[in-house]
Amino acid sequence: MYADPEDLAIIKEAAKRRGVSEAELIRQGTHLAAMANRVWDEPLFSRTFEGSGRTPGKAEVREAVAEAVRRETGTEAEPAA
């Protein structure tokens, strides 16, 4: 793995400041880069939502979430005001 001298100097300084090895910071950075570029087998969100084509207000979002919870839990209680 190759790195610019400027980046290595920053890593050296950060490792000293955090009390960890330079290798540990490089491992962490490599992991973050790998995860940021990973292709997942499944989508992050499996549900789709119907909308009106406009941005809903805070109350509408709360009610939509509450309604979804009621449907999934079988709760038929009225929403809190």
Side-chain angles (χ1 to χ4, degrees):
M1 186 158 105
Y2 298 98
D4 292 332
E6 297 84 13
D7 291 334
L8 291 174
I10 293 168
I11 290 169
K12 184 180 209 75
E13 179 183 310
K16 184 177 179 181
R17 185 177 59 249
R18 291 181 56 196
V20 298
S21 69
E22 294 170 38
E24 178 59 22
L25 287 184
I26 292 169
R27 277 191 291 276
Q28 290 174 5
T30 301
H31 176 71
L32 290 173
M35 294 304 290
N37 291 285
R38 181 176 177 184
V39 176
W40 300 90
D41 294 334
E42 297 178 10
L44 181 60
F45 297 104
S46 60
R47 298 179 183 166
T48 59
F49 299 94
E50 286 187 29
S52 63
R54 62 176 181 72
T55 303
K58 187 176 184 178
E60 290 175 279
V61 171
R62 285 182 183 209
E63 180 54 33
V65 171
E67 178 60 31
V69 169
R70 286 193 293 271
R71 277 196 311 268
E72 288 193 13
T73 61
T75 306
E76 297 297 327
E78 289 297 314

